[in-house]
Amino acid sequence: MSADFNDSADSHSHSENRRRAAEQWPGFEPEVALHWSKVLLHHSPDPQRAGIKAQMSSAIKRGIPIAGPGWVSTADAARSDGFTPVLYQTLFDTLQSIPRTAFRSHPGHRQNRHGTYLPGTPYESELWCDWPKLFLVEGFDAHAATTLTLLRAEPKFPRPRSNN
C-alpha cells in the first residue's frame, strides 16, 4: 500500500512541476526548463539577492523549474542562437577562465550590479550567436571559440579614454 501512495505522490509532484514549468517557462519542455533554471541560477542576467538564489536553488534541487527576472527571455534568445543549457554553461565556465581585462568585449565589463546583490551577466545575442557554430560545427574547443568570439567583437567596444 505504501508503494502505491509514494507512486501517487511522485505522480502528483511530477504533474505539479510540469504545470509550473508551463506557467513560468512557456515554450519549454519541463525537463529543459529545469535544466535552464539550473544554469541561469548561476549565470543569471540580472542581479539577485543571495538569499533568493538559495531559495531558488532549493526549489530547483527538488525538481521545480524556477524563472528569475529575464531568465525565460535569455534562454529563448540563447536557444535561438543554437545554445542548449549545457552549451550555455560551457560558455560561461570558459568566460570565467578569461580575465575580463583581456578583452574590451568581455561581458564582465557589462555585468548588472545592484548594491549587495550577486551580479548578473546579460546574454548578448549579437556577441554570442556564432559561438555554438564555432564549437559544434567548426571544431574549436570552448576556450578557443570564446576567445575568437571576443576578439571578433573588439571593434564594437571602444577603447577607454585616457586622461593623458
Side-chain angles (χ1 to χ4, degrees):
M1 183 82 162
S2 65
D4 291 339
F5 175 75
N6 288 338
D7 289 345
S8 176
D10 288 345
S11 175
H12 173 72
S13 175
H14 183 70
S15 64
E16 178 64 17
N17 290 349
R18 290 188 73 77
R19 182 192 63 75
R20 286 190 69 167
E23 287 175 1
Q24 292 190 6
W25 287 88
F28 288 83
E29 289 297 316
E31 295 77 19
V32 175
L34 181 60
H35 205 137
W36 276 110
S37 294
K38 289 176 185 176
V39 171
L40 291 172
L41 177 69
H42 299 288
H43 305 291
S44 59
D46 290 315
Q48 301 270 326
R49 291 180 192 256
I52 297 293
K53 280 200 168 191
Q55 291 174 355
M56 293 169 129
S57 177
S58 177
I60 290 168
K61 285 177 184 171
R62 293 190 317 270
I64 301 169
I66 300 297
W71 289 16
V72 175
S73 60
T74 295
D76 196 41
R79 181 173 64 173
S80 293
D81 289 338
F83 282 92
T84 64
V86 171
L87 289 177
Y88 197 85
Q89 179 70 45
T90 302
L91 168 64
F92 275 85
D93 286 349
T94 305
L95 278 169
Q96 291 179 6
S97 72
I98 299 171
R100 72 181 196 150
T101 55
F103 295 97
R104 296 184 312 270
S105 57
H106 195 291
H109 294 292
R110 294 174 303 287
Q111 282 189 320
N112 292 328
R113 298 181 181 276
H114 178 74
T116 60
Y117 289 33
L118 298 172
T121 304
Y123 175 73
E124 298 166 295
S125 183
E126 60 282 355
L127 179 62
W128 300 114
C129 63
D130 289 336
W131 193 94
K133 180 181 166 206
L134 291 171
F135 182 69
L136 296 173
V137 178
E138 296 184 22
F140 287 92
D141 66 43
H143 191 271
T146 305
T147 301
L148 183 56
T149 301
L150 291 169
L151 186 60
R152 286 178 176 172
E154 283 292 278
K156 297 177 183 176
F157 295 88
R159 293 189 186 282
R161 293 186 180 167
S162 66
N163 292 336
N164 295 340

